[in-house]
Amino acid sequence: MKKTTAFFLTVGVLAMIIGGIGSITFFRRAEHSMTEVKKEQYTIKNKQAIKEVHLNLSGNADYIKVYSDNSNKIKLNTKNYLSSSLKGSLSVKEESDKLTATIKTSQTKKEQDFIQFNVFDRGTSTSVVIPENTEKLVISGDASGNVDLSDLTIENLTIKMTNADLSFGNLNAKEATIHSDYGSISIYGEAKIEKSTFSTKSGDVRVSDFTSSNWSVLSRDGDITLERTKGNVSIESTNGDIYTTDIKGEATVKSVNGDFELYGTEIPKKLAVELKQGDIQIYPDEILYNTAITAETHMGDCSIFGKNRTSYKQGKESNSMNLKTKYGDITIDGPSEYEDD
């Protein structure tokens, strides 16, 4: 009886293993049959002389990824899955020390008369590859999807887009100026830039795990969120709230219509906030030693560590907060296991 049971258990396990292998093989073959990959490339005539690359991006592709490799080519790769059709074109003009690549995309949704297996459908993707010895990269155009730059090291980066959302991961540069008129900007993955500016006319800006000696963030109509950043930063917003967590360095904040919030264990050594209409809320996770605070509001309440007051001093005053709002409340609260001077 035991031998019979063991035999059937063995057969069952083998059937499961064979079935699993078969399923994986079927899935890969099915996915491959429903995927269309197209590649275009341009071979640079004088790779050593070309130090500046301009990318002009247009079209409605959902996603465009820009990265570099060790080659003497400009590459355009497009990938289609089941439900969409994506076409791309690449044209290149090469000058003495500059190269301009014009990339156009056109994406349409396919109508399907059969049952859709969405497990095989991963949308579309476009990738643009530039030589890794590029010193200056300029990206412009009216592409309407998301443009992503990841794992890129470059001396100078300039981006000016009309509609695209911009995202950056593990980006290293000496100087960067990044702008989108009507798209959002997202920085993630321990990016490091010596000097940088991020700006939008109508879009949110989110910066996480970022280091820059001197940098600025500007948004006319959109929220600004900073998390775990290092360096001296200038933040300006016309219509939008500003959220900050663990900001190390110095910070200057100006806003016409919107609130300002600061949280975390890392607090700017020097913080200056000036709002016309909005509340200021600061909630440090740790005791504020050696800090001087001044608060001023024309129409609103000031509360510093549970007391109605407009100033506060503790210790040597090597850190400072200068907080002003014309129409709004100012609130500072946090650990209180100490007595202020």
Side-chain angles (χ1 to χ4, degrees):
M1 183 67 179
K2 291 182 179 180
K3 290 183 179 180
T4 303
T5 303
F7 171 76
F8 282 111
L9 283 173
T10 302
V11 172
V13 170
L14 289 174
M16 291 173 62
I17 293 173
I18 295 171
I21 295 173
S23 298
I24 294 172
T25 302
F26 168 77
F27 181 88
R28 289 178 176 174
R29 289 180 178 177
E31 182 182 30
H32 180 74
S33 67
M34 297 179 184
T35 304
E36 181 183 19
V37 178
K38 293 183 179 180
K39 298 181 179 182
E40 288 188 59
Q41 62 182 26
Y42 171 87
T43 301
I44 300 173
K45 297 179 176 63
N46 192 347
K47 178 187 175 183
Q48 299 304 319
I50 297 295
K51 301 299 181 183
E52 184 174 334
V53 173
H54 289 232
L55 300 179
N56 189 303
L57 308 179
S58 64
N60 64 338
D62 285 340
Y63 177 79
I64 300 175
K65 180 180 177 65
V66 180
Y67 64 97
S68 63
D69 69 1
N70 184 22
S71 72
N72 63 337
K73 297 176 175 27
I74 300 290
K75 304 174 185 177
L76 171 63
N77 304 320
T78 59
K79 182 180 289 187
N80 290 299
Y81 285 96
L82 191 64
S83 64
S84 297
S85 173
L86 174 63
K87 296 180 181 179
S89 65
L90 169 67
S91 61
V92 178
K93 179 182 179 182
E94 188 173 343
E95 301 177 39
S96 58
D97 62 347
K98 183 177 75 173
L99 181 148
T100 301
T102 300
I103 295 158
K104 299 179 180 180
T105 63
S106 177
Q107 181 175 332
T108 57
K109 298 292 184 180
K110 293 180 180 178
E111 294 185 3
Q112 300 176 18
D113 297 328
F114 52 89
I115 298 175
Q116 297 186 29
F117 296 94
N118 292 327
V119 68
F120 302 118
D121 190 355
R122 301 186 181 181
T124 63
S125 63
T126 304
S127 61
V128 179
V129 188
I130 64 172
E132 64 182 9
N133 68 334
T134 302
E135 295 179 1
K136 182 177 182 180
L137 175 61
V138 179
I139 302 176
S140 61
D142 59 1
S144 59
N146 175 257
V147 178
D148 179 80
L149 282 78
S150 299
D151 303 313
L152 187 66
T153 298
I154 202 161
E155 289 190 15
N156 188 290
L157 174 63
T158 300
I159 299 178
K160 188 175 182 180
M161 301 296 293
T162 304
N163 301 306
D165 294 328
L166 306 175
S167 58
F168 308 85
N170 298 319
L171 174 66
N172 289 276
K174 287 186 177 181
E175 187 170 353
T177 302
I178 297 168
H179 175 84
S180 180
D181 284 346
Y182 304 105
S184 63
I185 298 175
S186 177
I187 315 294
Y188 61 93
E190 298 185 358
K192 185 176 182 180
I193 304 173
E194 291 183 15
K195 184 179 180 181
S196 56
T197 299
F198 308 104
S199 62
T200 68
K201 287 184 178 180
S202 180
D204 296 337
V205 180
R206 188 181 192 93
V207 182
S208 303
D209 302 305
F210 179 72
T211 301
S212 182
S213 299
N214 291 282
W215 59 298
S216 59
V217 183
L218 303 92
S219 178
R220 188 181 67 184
D221 295 305
D223 295 336
I224 296 174
T225 303
L226 309 185
E227 301 172 315
R228 300 176 300 279
T229 66
K230 298 178 182 179
N232 300 333
V233 60
S234 172
I235 308 169
E236 293 188 28
S237 173
T238 303
N239 293 297
D241 297 326
I242 300 169
Y243 307 97
T244 62
T245 305
D246 290 329
I247 307 300
K248 190 173 183 179
E250 299 181 5
T252 302
V253 180
K254 293 184 178 181
S255 177
V256 176
N257 184 23
D259 298 334
F260 171 79
E261 297 182 8
L262 171 64
Y263 300 87
T265 57
E266 294 286 355
I267 302 297
K269 187 175 180 65
K270 292 184 179 181
L271 173 64
V273 181
E274 185 174 352
L275 311 182
K276 286 190 176 181
Q277 182 170 322
D279 297 332
I280 299 174
Q281 302 178 61
I282 298 176
Y283 299 97
D285 290 341
E286 296 182 354
I287 298 172
L288 295 180
Y289 291 114
N290 303 318
T291 300
I293 301 173
T294 60
E296 178 184 337
T297 176
H298 290 193
M299 187 174 291
D301 298 324
C302 289
S303 175
I304 301 178
F305 298 114
K307 296 181 179 180
N308 293 325
R309 49 184 167 178
T310 59
S311 64
Y312 167 90
K313 295 181 180 179
Q314 202 282 339
K316 298 179 180 179
E317 304 177 29
S318 56
N319 304 314
S320 65
M321 293 185 185
N322 188 0
L323 313 175
K324 296 180 181 180
T325 180
K326 193 170 184 179
Y327 302 104
D329 298 331
I330 299 175
T331 304
I332 303 173
D333 205 355
S336 57
E337 303 92 343
Y338 57 90
E339 294 182 0
D340 54 290
D341 297 336

